[in-house]
Structure formats: structure tokens, C-alpha cells
Amino acid sequence: MKTKNLILFLSVMLLLYACTGGAGTGSTGGIDIKFTEVPEKEVYEGEEIFATILITNSLVNEGGIQGILCLRDTLSDNYGGIPDNACADVNLPPATRTDGGVSPYVMEINFPEVSPISPYRGIEREISKSYQNLPIIADFKYSVETTAGAVVCIKLPGAVSPNIPKDCGTKQTLSVQQPSMPLKISKLTVTPSRRGSNNVLLNIEMTISKSKQGLLLSSGEISGGVPAVASVSLDVLANQDSAGCQQVSNGRISIRSNENEKVIKCALSINDLSQDYINVPITVRMKYGFAESVVGTTISILKGDELVV
């Protein structure tokens, strides 16, 4: 029964990973943000301003993506324009799988439709440089839940059957199936070691790397500021059982804002082997938040009919 459950679980896992990426370290495109409408390069005091942003979700998952989109400039609220709280909640449904591949879900968000912004006002000639080349920026903070997977071959200690695949039971660098998200497993190595006549200890070493520009946020805390150290939820499983991992406390690892990668070491025993060899699924689940920013344009503010100079 244990073997049948393992085969069923492995089949379901491989199907899941095929739906969230391609072969190897395949991806589905992840989350993309871009401006499609921006204010003119020169904006008059008192003129209405606007911006439209497209967020694309190319992930095929159950829950979609939840986040907060904010629009900002670099000018004080005393001069109107884009206030500090120009934000909107975002709930992105998942992409859908079609015969031709993946159909992303695209959401269009317009300011001031989703959150008020006002014309610039109170422009002062004495500090004219403060109103030139102001960036218009979109910040998107969102929650991430990912599942990555791989398969390692282990053999019964002492087994010499010709049917055992090459390299089975030795140190293996695994091909990882995972979606395209800010944190990825850039390397996953498993070294089996013998523990008795029918037990094997799996020594798992993986490198977690940032794959895109942005800032990590702690799991479940996307509405706050950006921490110096992000707390990332991590669970590593082999054959459906959780492995014990170094640097993991209460199911979380800490990643500093200046860390681009982190090495995690885990171990788990596979006991009571009765076959010459088996394929064991390795699953890595992570939860965290992420913040990324896009500059849409830069503007200069004019007073009356003239540029403030």
C-alpha cells in the first residue's frame, strides 16, 4: 500500500509541476507590471493627471495573486498630485491552461479611478528644480506561495540489480520544476547515505536565489514597510514527510535585504525499503511577500503658461 500511495503521489506531483512550468527550471512568466498610459512630460499646475497600469499573471495556480498596487511621485503632498495613500487592493485570478500553452490573466488599473489623485498646486518659482524630472512610479507588493519539485532515485543498501538506473543511490543534482517567481531554487543536490540494511538518509542541500529585481517581504506582512530581514516560510518534504533543516526556526528562514542567495541543508530518513530502488519526490514550499517598482515616466510641472525656472 505504501508503494502504491507513493506512485500515485509522484504522478500527481509531476502533473502539477508540468502545469506550473516546463522542463528543468521552466517557468510560466510570473508577474509582470507595465504602464500603458502616463502623464505628459510637461504638466501644468491645476491640470488633471492620470496613469494606467497593466498587471499580468502568467501563473497557473489555484488561489491567484493578492497584493497592493500604489502610485507615487517624489513630491510632497503639500503640492497636490499623487498622495501617499494612492493605493488599490489587487486580486489577480490565475492564468488558464489552454491547448496552445498558458493564457495569462491581465488586469488594467487606472488612477484616479481606483484611488484619488489631484492636480498639482502651489508651485513656487523659488525652488523650481524641485518640480523638474519627477518620476511617476508604480509599487506592487504581493503575496507569494510556490511549490517546487524534483525526484531523486535511491536504492536499497547492497542492491545490485541491473535494473537500477545509473547514478541511483549516489549524489544527484536534480532538475527542479518550479514557477517563475522572485525566489527560485537555483540548485538542489541530494546525497543518499546508508543507515542500516534497509534505511537511507537523504542529505539535501539547496540554494535559494532571488530571480528578479525587488525587495523581499515577510510572509503575511505585505501591507507594512520593507524589513531589513524578511521571514520566509519554508517546508521541505521527501516522500510526503517534512525534513529537518538547518537555519529553519518555526518553519521560517531569515533572508537579509542584501542577500541574493541562501544555502539550506536538510536531512530525512527513508526507512523500511523493500524494493531495489524507488523514486522519491522532493517538494519545497515557500511563502513570502515581494515588492517591485516600475518607473512609468518623468514629468516637469509648469506654472501658468511657463515652465517654472
Side-chain angles (χ1 to χ4, degrees):
M1 182 62 70
K2 178 76 172 178
T3 301
K4 290 181 179 178
N5 288 340
L6 172 61
I7 294 173
L8 176 61
F9 178 67
L10 179 59
S11 300
V12 172
M13 267 190 33
L14 291 176
L15 177 61
L16 171 63
Y17 300 141
C19 291
T20 57
T25 55
S27 68
T28 57
I31 304 298
D32 296 306
I33 309 165
K34 68 176 182 179
F35 282 83
T36 57
E37 290 184 291
V38 294
E40 297 293 334
K41 287 289 187 181
E42 295 181 345
V43 177
Y44 283 96
E45 181 181 22
E47 182 181 351
E48 298 290 339
I49 57 174
F50 61 90
T52 301
I53 300 158
L54 288 186
I55 305 180
T56 302
N57 181 15
S58 298
L59 296 171
V60 180
N61 58 6
E62 291 184 3
I65 295 291
Q66 288 73 48
I68 302 169
L69 178 69
C70 297
L71 189 70
R72 63 183 171 95
D73 57 21
T74 55
L75 197 61
S76 166
D77 283 0
N78 294 333
Y79 299 99
I82 305 170
D84 291 338
N85 61 349
C87 300
D89 291 333
V90 175
N91 292 297
L92 282 172
T96 55
R97 183 159 292 280
T98 66
D99 292 339
V102 172
S103 177
Y105 185 90
V106 180
M107 178 176 288
E108 182 179 270
I109 299 175
N110 177 268
F111 291 85
E113 287 184 9
V114 296
S115 184
I117 56 179
S118 60
Y120 291 101
R121 63 177 185 273
I123 303 304
E124 304 170 65
R125 293 181 183 277
E126 292 79 7
I127 53 173
S128 61
K129 290 185 179 180
S130 300
Y131 315 125
Q132 299 179 29
N133 299 317
L134 298 174
I136 304 298
I137 305 165
D139 299 315
F140 187 41
K141 296 180 179 180
Y142 54 98
S143 297
V144 179
E145 293 187 23
T146 62
T147 299
V151 177
V152 62
C153 181
I154 65 173
K155 69 176 184 176
L156 184 71
V160 292
S161 168
N163 295 323
I164 298 175
K166 182 183 178 181
D167 299 328
C168 185
T170 65
K171 181 178 179 179
Q172 298 161 63
T173 298
L174 305 181
S175 176
V176 182
Q177 308 291 324
Q178 58 190 325
S180 178
M181 292 302 280
L183 284 183
K184 70 175 184 178
I185 300 171
S186 54
K187 186 175 182 181
L188 177 59
T189 302
V190 178
T191 305
S193 59
R194 180 171 178 170
R195 290 293 185 270
S197 61
N198 60 350
N199 301 328
V200 172
L201 179 68
L202 297 183
N203 299 287
I204 304 168
E205 181 174 309
M206 63 182 175
T207 302
I208 299 174
S209 306
K210 283 180 62 177
S211 63
K212 66 188 306 186
Q213 292 293 321
L215 299 169
L216 278 176
L217 307 174
S218 295
S219 174
E221 300 180 14
I222 64 170
S223 59
V226 176
V229 180
S231 177
V232 175
S233 175
L234 175 71
D235 191 15
V236 180
L237 303 98
N239 200 20
Q240 307 183 63
D241 294 322
S242 290
C245 299
Q246 300 175 14
Q247 303 183 58
V248 178
S249 177
N250 296 320
R252 290 174 176 258
I253 58 170
S254 297
I255 301 180
R256 299 189 306 273
S257 59
N258 61 350
E259 272 186 304
N260 288 321
E261 66 177 30
K262 197 174 190 74
V263 177
I264 305 294
K265 295 182 179 181
C266 308
L268 177 72
S269 291
I270 304 295
N271 301 320
D272 302 323
L273 291 173
S274 59
Q275 300 172 254
D276 286 339
Y277 74 94
I278 61 171
N279 290 314
V280 174
I282 306 293
T283 307
V284 181
R285 297 173 180 153
M286 288 188 284
K287 296 181 183 180
Y288 54 94
F290 198 72
E292 54 184 292
S293 300
V294 176
V295 177
T297 189
T298 58
I299 64 171
S300 295
I301 305 173
L302 295 84
K303 184 174 180 66
D305 294 330
E306 299 179 1
L307 182 65
V308 179
V309 294

